[in-house]
Amino acid sequence: MRWLVLLVAGCCGDTAPVWDAPTPVEMAEDERVEISLAGVVTGRGLTFSVEADSGVLATVVDDVLVVVAEQGFSGASRMALTATDACDNSS
């Protein structure tokens, strides 16, 4: 009897997730905006995190960025999004 054993391992390699160029988003005061991240970053098994300037509350739910302006906020705010793949590569 002969046995053939195959070991298959998934590896992401050294390549971090790749983001498309960001597009500025405008929103009205006290408005909620939801942006799908699935179409703007490529990678395997992605998880997301976000940090935002003051004036907005930003969270990521699954692969959707949710942004809500704080009460009475008017102005510009920047956010830093991070995507981490299944092999802990991040960008």
Side-chain angles (χ1 to χ4, degrees):
M1 180 181 286
R2 292 183 187 188
W3 293 90
L4 175 61
V5 177
L6 295 175
L7 298 176
V8 179
C11 183
C12 306
D14 294 333
T15 305
V18 177
W19 291 88
D20 290 343
T23 303
V25 175
E26 292 186 27
M27 56 190 287
E29 190 174 334
D30 303 324
E31 181 182 9
R32 172 187 173 115
V33 173
E34 296 184 6
I35 302 168
S36 173
L37 300 175
V40 296
V41 62
T42 55
R44 293 177 38 189
L46 298 176
T47 57
F48 299 95
S49 62
V50 63
E51 292 182 26
D53 290 347
S54 61
V56 297
L57 302 173
T59 58
V60 178
V61 179
D62 296 323
D63 64 351
V64 177
L65 171 65
V66 180
V67 181
V68 179
E70 293 179 356
Q71 183 76 24
F73 175 76
S74 178
S77 183
R78 291 179 181 238
M79 285 167 258
L81 284 159
T82 302
T84 304
D85 66 19
C87 294
D88 286 333
N89 297 313
S90 61
S91 65

Coordinates of all heavy atoms in Angstrom, one line a residue:
M1 N 0.8 -1.2 0.0 CA 0.0 0.0 0.0 C 0.9 1.2 0.0 O 1.9 1.3 0.7 CB -0.9 0.0 1.2 CG -1.8 1.2 1.3 SD -2.8 1.2 2.8 CE -4.0 0.0 2.4
R2 N 0.6 2.2 -0.8 CA 1.3 3.5 -0.9 C 0.4 4.6 -0.4 O -0.8 4.6 -0.7 CB 1.7 3.7 -2.3 CG 2.8 2.8 -2.8 CD 3.2 3.2 -4.1 NE 4.1 2.1 -4.7 CZ 4.7 2.2 -5.8 NH1 4.6 3.3 -6.5 NH2 5.5 1.3 -6.2
W3 N 1.0 5.5 0.3 CA 0.3 6.7 0.8 C 0.9 7.9 0.2 O 2.2 8.0 0.1 CB 0.4 6.8 2.3 CG -0.3 5.7 3.0 CD1 0.2 4.5 3.4 CD2 -1.6 5.7 3.4 NE1 -0.8 3.7 4.0 CE2 -1.9 4.5 4.0 CE3 -2.7 6.6 3.3 CZ2 -3.2 4.1 4.5 CZ3 -3.9 6.3 3.8 CH2 -4.2 5.1 4.4
L4 N 0.1 8.8 -0.2 CA 0.6 10.1 -0.7 C 0.0 11.1 0.3 O -1.2 11.2 0.5 CB 0.1 10.4 -2.1 CG 0.4 11.8 -2.6 CD1 1.9 12.0 -2.7 CD2 -0.3 11.9 -4.0
V5 N 0.9 11.9 0.9 CA 0.5 12.9 1.9 C 0.8 14.2 1.3 O 2.0 14.5 0.9 CB 1.2 12.7 3.2 CG1 0.8 13.8 4.2 CG2 0.9 11.3 3.8
L6 N -0.2 15.1 1.2 CA 0.0 16.4 0.8 C -0.2 17.4 1.9 O -1.2 17.3 2.6 CB -1.0 16.8 -0.4 CG -0.8 16.0 -1.7 CD1 -2.0 16.3 -2.6 CD2 0.5 16.3 -2.3
L7 N 0.7 18.3 2.1 CA 0.5 19.3 3.1 C 0.3 20.6 2.3 O 1.1 21.0 1.5 CB 1.7 19.5 4.0 CG 2.1 18.2 4.8 CD1 3.3 18.5 5.6 CD2 0.9 17.9 5.8
V8 N -0.8 21.2 2.6 CA -1.2 22.5 1.9 C -1.2 23.6 3.0 O -2.0 23.4 4.0 CB -2.5 22.4 1.2 CG1 -2.8 23.7 0.5 CG2 -2.5 21.2 0.2
A9 N -0.5 24.6 2.8 CA -0.5 25.7 3.8 C -0.7 27.0 3.0 O -0.2 27.2 2.0 CB 0.9 25.8 4.5
G10 N -1.6 27.8 3.6 CA -1.9 29.1 3.0 C -0.9 30.1 3.6 O -0.8 30.1 4.8
C11 N -0.3 30.9 2.8 CA 0.6 31.9 3.3 C 0.4 33.2 2.4 O 0.3 33.1 1.2 CB 2.0 31.5 3.2 SG 3.1 32.7 3.9
C12 N 0.3 34.3 3.1 CA 0.1 35.5 2.4 C 1.4 36.1 1.8 O 1.4 37.0 1.0 CB -0.5 36.6 3.3 SG -2.0 36.0 4.1
G13 N 2.5 35.6 2.3 CA 3.8 36.1 1.9 C 4.1 37.4 2.6 O 3.6 37.7 3.7
D14 N 5.0 38.2 2.1 CA 5.4 39.4 2.7 C 4.7 40.6 2.2 O 5.1 41.8 2.5 CB 7.0 39.6 2.5 CG 7.8 38.6 3.2 OD1 7.3 38.0 4.2 OD2 8.9 38.3 2.7
T15 N 3.7 40.4 1.4 CA 3.0 41.5 0.8 C 1.9 42.0 1.6 O 1.0 41.2 2.0 CB 2.5 41.1 -0.6 OG1 3.5 40.6 -1.4 CG2 1.8 42.3 -1.3
A16 N 1.9 43.3 2.0 CA 0.8 43.9 2.8 C -0.4 44.1 1.9 O -0.3 44.2 0.7 CB 1.3 45.2 3.4
P17 N -1.6 44.3 2.5 CA -2.8 44.6 1.7 C -2.5 45.9 0.9 O -1.8 46.8 1.3 CB -3.8 44.8 2.7 CG -3.4 44.0 3.9 CD -1.9 44.1 3.9
V18 N -3.1 46.0 -0.3 CA -2.9 47.1 -1.2 C -4.2 48.0 -1.3 O -5.2 47.5 -1.6 CB -2.5 46.6 -2.6 CG1 -2.3 47.8 -3.6 CG2 -1.2 45.8 -2.5
W19 N -4.0 49.3 -1.0 CA -5.1 50.2 -1.0 C -5.2 50.9 -2.3 O -4.1 51.3 -2.9 CB -5.0 51.3 0.1 CG -5.2 50.7 1.5 CD1 -4.2 50.2 2.3 CD2 -6.4 50.7 2.2 NE1 -4.7 49.9 3.5 CE2 -6.1 50.1 3.5 CE3 -7.7 51.1 2.0 CZ2 -7.0 50.0 4.5 CZ3 -8.6 50.9 3.0 CH2 -8.3 50.3 4.2
D20 N -6.4 51.2 -2.8 CA -6.5 52.1 -4.0 C -6.4 53.5 -3.4 O -6.5 53.8 -2.2 CB -7.9 52.0 -4.6 CG -8.1 50.7 -5.3 OD1 -7.1 50.0 -5.6 OD2 -9.3 50.3 -5.5
A21 N -6.2 54.5 -4.3 CA -6.0 55.9 -3.9 C -7.3 56.3 -3.2 O -8.4 56.0 -3.6 CB -5.7 56.7 -5.1
P22 N -7.2 57.1 -2.1 CA -8.4 57.5 -1.3 C -9.1 58.6 -2.1 O -8.5 59.4 -2.9 CB -7.8 58.1 0.0 CG -6.4 58.4 -0.4 CD -5.9 57.5 -1.4
T23 N -10.4 58.6 -1.9 CA -11.3 59.6 -2.5 C -11.9 60.4 -1.3 O -12.5 59.8 -0.4 CB -12.4 59.0 -3.3 OG1 -11.8 58.1 -4.3 CG2 -13.3 60.0 -3.9
P24 N -11.7 61.8 -1.3 CA -12.3 62.6 -0.2 C -13.8 62.4 -0.2 O -14.5 62.2 -1.3 CB -12.0 64.0 -0.6 CG -10.8 63.9 -1.5 CD -11.0 62.6 -2.3
V25 N -14.4 62.4 1.0 CA -15.8 62.2 1.1 C -16.4 63.4 1.9 O -15.8 63.9 2.9 CB -16.1 61.0 2.0 CG1 -17.6 60.9 2.3 CG2 -15.6 59.7 1.3
E26 N -17.5 64.0 1.3 CA -18.1 65.1 2.0 C -19.4 64.6 2.7 O -20.0 63.7 2.1 CB -18.4 66.2 1.0 CG -17.2 66.9 0.4 CD -17.6 68.1 -0.4 OE1 -18.6 68.7 -0.2 OE2 -16.7 68.4 -1.3
M27 N -19.7 65.2 3.8 CA -20.9 64.8 4.5 C -21.5 66.0 5.2 O -20.8 67.0 5.5 CB -20.6 63.7 5.5 CG -19.6 64.0 6.6 SD -19.1 62.6 7.6 CE -20.5 62.4 8.6
A28 N -22.8 66.0 5.3 CA -23.5 67.1 5.9 C -23.3 67.0 7.5 O -23.0 65.9 8.0 CB -25.0 67.1 5.6
E29 N -23.5 68.1 8.1 CA -23.4 68.2 9.6 C -24.4 67.2 10.2 O -25.5 67.1 9.8 CB -23.7 69.6 10.1 CG -23.4 69.8 11.5 CD -23.6 71.3 11.9 OE1 -23.4 72.1 11.0 OE2 -23.9 71.5 13.1
D30 N -24.0 66.4 11.2 CA -24.8 65.4 11.9 C -25.2 64.3 11.0 O -26.2 63.6 11.3 CB -26.0 66.1 12.5 CG -25.6 67.2 13.5 OD1 -24.6 67.0 14.2 OD2 -26.3 68.2 13.6
E31 N -24.6 64.1 9.9 CA -24.9 63.0 8.9 C -24.0 61.7 9.3 O -22.9 61.8 9.8 CB -24.6 63.4 7.5 CG -25.0 62.4 6.5 CD -24.7 62.8 5.0 OE1 -24.0 63.9 4.9 OE2 -25.0 62.1 4.1
R32 N -24.5 60.6 8.9 CA -23.8 59.3 9.0 C -23.4 58.8 7.6 O -24.3 58.8 6.7 CB -24.7 58.3 9.7 CG -24.2 56.9 9.8 CD -25.2 55.9 10.3 NE -24.8 54.6 10.3 CZ -24.6 53.8 11.3 NH1 -24.8 54.3 12.5 NH2 -24.2 52.6 11.2
V33 N -22.2 58.4 7.4 CA -21.7 57.9 6.1 C -21.2 56.5 6.3 O -20.5 56.3 7.3 CB -20.6 58.9 5.5 CG1 -20.0 58.3 4.3 CG2 -21.2 60.2 5.3
E34 N -21.5 55.6 5.4 CA -21.0 54.3 5.4 C -20.3 54.0 4.1 O -20.9 54.3 3.0 CB -22.1 53.2 5.6 CG -22.8 53.4 7.0 CD -23.9 52.3 7.2 OE1 -24.0 51.4 6.4 OE2 -24.5 52.4 8.3
I35 N -19.1 53.5 4.2 CA -18.3 53.3 3.0 C -17.8 51.8 3.0 O -17.1 51.4 4.0 CB -17.1 54.2 2.9 CG1 -17.5 55.7 3.0 CG2 -16.2 53.9 1.7 CD1 -16.5 56.7 3.2
S36 N -18.1 51.1 2.0 CA -17.6 49.7 1.9 C -16.1 49.7 1.6 O -15.6 50.4 0.6 CB -18.3 48.9 0.8 OG -17.7 47.7 0.6
L37 N -15.3 49.0 2.3 CA -13.9 48.9 2.1 C -13.5 47.8 1.2 O -12.4 47.7 0.7 CB -13.1 48.8 3.5 CG -13.4 49.9 4.5 CD1 -12.7 49.6 5.8 CD2 -12.9 51.2 3.9
A38 N -14.4 46.9 0.9 CA -14.2 45.7 0.1 C -13.6 46.1 -1.3 O -12.8 45.4 -1.9 CB -15.4 44.9 -0.1
G39 N -14.1 47.2 -1.9 CA -13.6 47.6 -3.2 C -12.4 48.4 -3.3 O -12.0 48.8 -4.3
V40 N -11.9 48.8 -2.1 CA -10.8 49.8 -2.1 C -9.4 49.2 -1.6 O -8.4 49.9 -1.6 CB -11.1 51.1 -1.3 CG1 -12.2 51.8 -2.0 CG2 -11.4 50.8 0.1
V41 N -9.5 47.9 -1.1 CA -8.3 47.3 -0.6 C -8.3 45.8 -1.0 O -9.4 45.2 -1.0 CB -8.1 47.5 0.9 CG1 -9.2 46.8 1.6 CG2 -6.8 46.9 1.4
T42 N -7.1 45.3 -1.4 CA -7.1 43.9 -1.8 C -6.1 43.1 -0.8 O -5.1 43.7 -0.4 CB -6.5 43.7 -3.2 OG1 -5.3 44.3 -3.3 CG2 -7.5 44.2 -4.2
G43 N -6.5 41.9 -0.5 CA -5.8 41.1 0.4 C -6.6 39.9 0.8 O -7.8 39.9 0.5
R44 N -6.0 39.0 1.6 CA -6.8 37.8 2.0 C -7.1 37.9 3.5 O -6.2 38.2 4.3 CB -5.9 36.5 1.8 CG -5.7 36.3 0.3 CD -4.9 35.1 0.0 NE -5.1 34.0 1.0 CZ -4.3 33.0 1.1 NH1 -3.3 32.8 0.3 NH2 -4.5 32.0 2.0
G45 N -8.3 37.5 3.9 CA -8.7 37.5 5.3 C -8.5 38.8 6.0 O -7.9 38.8 7.1
L46 N -8.9 39.9 5.5 CA -8.6 41.2 6.0 C -9.5 41.6 7.2 O -10.7 41.2 7.3 CB -8.9 42.3 4.9 CG -8.0 42.2 3.7 CD1 -8.4 43.2 2.7 CD2 -6.5 42.3 4.1
T47 N -8.8 42.2 8.2 CA -9.5 42.9 9.3 C -9.1 44.4 9.2 O -8.0 44.7 8.7 CB -9.2 42.3 10.6 OG1 -7.7 42.4 10.8 CG2 -9.6 40.9 10.8
F48 N -9.9 45.3 9.7 CA -9.7 46.7 9.6 C -9.7 47.4 11.0 O -10.4 47.0 11.9 CB -10.8 47.3 8.7 CG -10.8 46.8 7.3 CD1 -11.7 45.7 7.0 CD2 -10.0 47.3 6.3 CE1 -11.7 45.2 5.7 CE2 -10.0 46.7 5.1 CZ -10.9 45.7 4.7
S49 N -9.0 48.5 11.0 CA -9.1 49.4 12.2 C -9.0 50.8 11.7 O -8.5 51.1 10.6 CB -7.9 49.1 13.2 OG -6.7 49.3 12.6
V50 N -9.5 51.8 12.5 CA -9.5 53.2 12.1 C -9.2 54.1 13.2 O -9.6 53.8 14.4 CB -10.8 53.5 11.4 CG1 -12.0 53.4 12.4 CG2 -10.8 55.0 10.8
E51 N -8.4 55.1 13.0 CA -8.2 56.2 13.9 C -8.6 57.5 13.2 O -8.3 57.7 12.1 CB -6.7 56.3 14.3 CG -6.3 55.1 15.1 CD -4.8 55.2 15.6 OE1 -4.3 56.4 15.7 OE2 -4.2 54.2 15.8
A52 N -9.4 58.3 14.0 CA -9.9 59.6 13.4 C -9.5 60.8 14.2 O -9.3 60.7 15.4 CB -11.4 59.5 13.2
D53 N -9.4 61.9 13.5 CA -9.2 63.2 14.2 C -10.4 63.5 15.0 O -11.5 62.9 14.9 CB -9.0 64.3 13.2 CG -7.6 64.3 12.5 OD1 -6.7 63.5 12.9 OD2 -7.5 65.0 11.5
S54 N -10.3 64.5 15.9 CA -11.5 65.0 16.6 C -12.5 65.5 15.7 O -12.2 65.9 14.6 CB -11.1 66.0 17.7 OG -10.5 67.1 17.0
G55 N -13.7 65.5 16.1 CA -14.8 66.0 15.3 C -15.7 64.9 14.7 O -16.8 65.2 14.3
V56 N -15.1 63.7 14.5 CA -15.9 62.6 13.9 C -15.7 61.4 14.8 O -14.6 61.2 15.4 CB -15.6 62.3 12.5 CG1 -15.9 63.5 11.6 CG2 -14.1 61.9 12.3
L57 N -16.7 60.5 14.8 CA -16.5 59.2 15.4 C -16.5 58.2 14.2 O -17.3 58.2 13.3 CB -17.7 58.9 16.2 CG -18.0 59.9 17.4 CD1 -19.3 59.5 18.1 CD2 -16.8 59.8 18.4
A58 N -15.4 57.4 14.2 CA -15.2 56.4 13.1 C -15.0 55.0 13.6 O -14.3 54.8 14.6 CB -14.1 56.8 12.2
T59 N -15.7 54.1 13.1 CA -15.6 52.7 13.4 C -15.6 51.8 12.1 O -16.1 52.3 11.1 CB -16.7 52.2 14.4 OG1 -18.0 52.4 13.7 CG2 -16.7 52.9 15.7
V60 N -15.2 50.6 12.2 CA -15.3 49.7 11.1 C -16.1 48.5 11.6 O -15.8 47.9 12.6 CB -13.9 49.2 10.6 CG1 -14.1 48.2 9.5 CG2 -13.1 50.4 10.1
V61 N -17.2 48.2 10.9 CA -18.0 47.0 11.2 C -17.9 46.1 10.0 O -18.3 46.4 8.9 CB -19.5 47.5 11.4 CG1 -20.4 46.3 11.6 CG2 -19.6 48.5 12.5
D62 N -17.3 44.9 10.2 CA -17.0 44.0 9.2 C -16.0 44.7 8.2 O -14.9 45.0 8.5 CB -18.2 43.4 8.5 CG -19.0 42.6 9.5 OD1 -18.4 41.9 10.4 OD2 -20.3 42.6 9.4
D63 N -16.5 45.0 7.0 CA -15.7 45.7 6.0 C -16.3 47.0 5.6 O -16.1 47.5 4.5 CB -15.4 44.8 4.8 CG -16.6 44.5 4.0 OD1 -17.8 44.8 4.5 OD2 -16.5 43.9 2.9
V64 N -17.1 47.6 6.5 CA -17.7 48.9 6.3 C -17.2 49.9 7.2 O -17.3 49.8 8.5 CB -19.3 48.8 6.4 CG1 -19.9 50.1 6.2 CG2 -19.8 47.8 5.3
L65 N -16.7 51.1 6.7 CA -16.3 52.2 7.5 C -17.5 53.0 7.8 O -18.2 53.4 6.9 CB -15.3 53.0 6.8 CG -14.9 54.4 7.4 CD1 -14.2 54.1 8.7 CD2 -14.0 55.2 6.5
V66 N -17.8 53.3 9.1 CA -18.9 54.1 9.5 C -18.4 55.4 10.1 O -17.6 55.3 11.1 CB -19.8 53.3 10.5 CG1 -21.0 54.2 10.9 CG2 -20.3 52.0 9.9
V67 N -18.8 56.5 9.6 CA -18.3 57.8 10.1 C -19.5 58.7 10.5 O -20.5 58.8 9.7 CB -17.5 58.6 9.0 CG1 -17.0 59.9 9.5 CG2 -16.4 57.7 8.5
V68 N -19.5 59.2 11.7 CA -20.6 60.1 12.2 C -19.9 61.3 12.7 O -19.0 61.3 13.5 CB -21.4 59.4 13.3 CG1 -22.4 60.3 13.8 CG2 -21.9 58.1 12.8
A69 N -20.4 62.5 12.3 CA -19.9 63.8 12.8 C -20.4 64.0 14.2 O -21.6 63.7 14.5 CB -20.3 64.9 11.9
E70 N -19.5 64.5 15.1 CA -20.0 64.8 16.4 C -20.9 66.0 16.3 O -20.9 66.8 15.4 CB -18.8 65.2 17.3 CG -17.9 63.9 17.5 CD -16.7 64.3 18.4 OE1 -16.4 65.4 18.8 OE2 -15.9 63.3 18.7
Q71 N -21.8 66.1 17.3 CA -22.8 67.2 17.4 C -22.2 68.6 17.1 O -21.2 68.9 17.8 CB -23.5 67.2 18.8 CG -24.6 68.2 18.9 CD -25.9 67.7 18.2 OE1 -26.1 66.5 18.0 NE2 -26.7 68.7 17.9
G72 N -22.6 69.3 16.1 CA -22.2 70.6 15.8 C -20.9 70.7 15.1 O -20.4 71.8 14.8
F73 N -20.2 69.6 14.8 CA -18.9 69.7 14.1 C -19.0 70.2 12.7 O -19.9 69.8 11.9 CB -18.2 68.3 14.1 CG -16.9 68.3 13.3 CD1 -15.8 68.8 13.9 CD2 -16.9 67.7 12.0 CE1 -14.6 68.8 13.2 CE2 -15.7 67.7 11.3 CZ -14.5 68.3 11.9
S74 N -18.1 71.1 12.3 CA -18.1 71.6 10.9 C -16.6 71.8 10.6 O -15.8 72.3 11.4 CB -18.8 72.9 10.8 OG -18.7 73.4 9.5
G75 N -16.1 71.2 9.5 CA -14.7 71.3 9.2 C -14.2 70.1 8.5 O -15.0 69.3 8.0
A76 N -12.9 69.9 8.6 CA -12.3 68.7 7.9 C -11.7 67.8 9.0 O -11.3 68.3 10.1 CB -11.1 69.2 7.0
S77 N -11.7 66.6 8.7 CA -11.1 65.6 9.6 C -10.4 64.5 8.8 O -10.9 64.2 7.7 CB -12.2 64.9 10.4 OG -11.7 64.0 11.3
R78 N -9.3 64.0 9.3 CA -8.6 62.9 8.6 C -8.7 61.6 9.4 O -8.9 61.7 10.6 CB -7.1 63.3 8.5 CG -6.8 64.4 7.6 CD -5.4 64.7 7.5 NE -5.1 65.8 6.6 CZ -4.3 65.8 5.6 NH1 -3.7 64.6 5.3 NH2 -4.1 66.8 4.8
M79 N -8.7 60.5 8.7 CA -8.7 59.2 9.3 C -7.6 58.4 8.8 O -7.2 58.5 7.6 CB -10.1 58.5 8.9 CG -11.2 59.1 9.7 SD -12.7 58.5 9.0 CE -13.2 60.0 8.1
A80 N -7.1 57.5 9.6 CA -6.0 56.6 9.2 C -6.6 55.2 9.3 O -7.0 54.7 10.4 CB -4.8 56.7 10.2
L81 N -6.8 54.5 8.2 CA -7.3 53.2 8.1 C -6.2 52.2 8.0 O -5.2 52.4 7.2 CB -8.2 53.0 6.9 CG -9.6 53.6 6.9 CD1 -10.1 53.9 5.6 CD2 -10.5 52.8 7.8
T82 N -6.3 51.1 8.7 CA -5.3 50.0 8.6 C -6.0 48.7 8.2 O -7.0 48.4 8.8 CB -4.6 49.8 9.9 OG1 -3.9 51.0 10.3 CG2 -3.5 48.7 9.8
A83 N -5.4 48.0 7.2 CA -5.9 46.7 6.9 C -4.9 45.7 7.2 O -3.7 45.9 6.9 CB -6.2 46.6 5.4
T84 N -5.3 44.6 7.9 CA -4.3 43.6 8.3 C -4.8 42.3 7.7 O -6.0 41.9 7.8 CB -4.3 43.4 9.8 OG1 -3.9 44.7 10.4 CG2 -3.2 42.4 10.3
D85 N -3.9 41.5 7.0 CA -4.4 40.3 6.4 C -4.2 39.1 7.3 O -3.7 39.2 8.5 CB -3.7 40.0 5.1 CG -2.2 39.8 5.2 OD1 -1.7 39.5 6.3 OD2 -1.5 40.0 4.1
A86 N -4.5 37.9 6.9 CA -4.5 36.7 7.7 C -3.0 36.3 8.2 O -2.9 35.6 9.1 CB -5.0 35.5 6.9
C87 N -2.0 36.9 7.5 CA -0.6 36.6 8.0 C 0.0 37.8 8.7 O 1.2 37.9 8.9 CB 0.2 36.3 6.7 SG -0.3 34.8 5.9
D88 N -0.9 38.7 9.2 CA -0.5 39.8 10.0 C 0.3 40.9 9.3 O 1.1 41.7 9.9 CB 0.3 39.4 11.3 CG -0.7 38.9 12.4 OD1 -1.9 39.2 12.3 OD2 -0.2 38.1 13.2
N89 N 0.2 40.9 8.0 CA 0.8 42.0 7.2 C -0.2 43.1 7.2 O -1.4 42.9 7.1 CB 1.0 41.6 5.7 CG 2.0 40.4 5.6 OD1 3.1 40.5 6.2 ND2 1.7 39.4 4.8
S90 N 0.3 44.3 7.4 CA -0.7 45.4 7.5 C -0.2 46.6 6.7 O 0.9 46.8 6.4 CB -1.0 45.8 8.9 OG 0.2 46.3 9.5
S91 N -1.2 47.4 6.3 CA -0.9 48.7 5.6 C -2.0 49.7 5.8 O -3.1 49.3 6.3 CB -0.8 48.5 4.1 OG -2.0 48.0 3.5

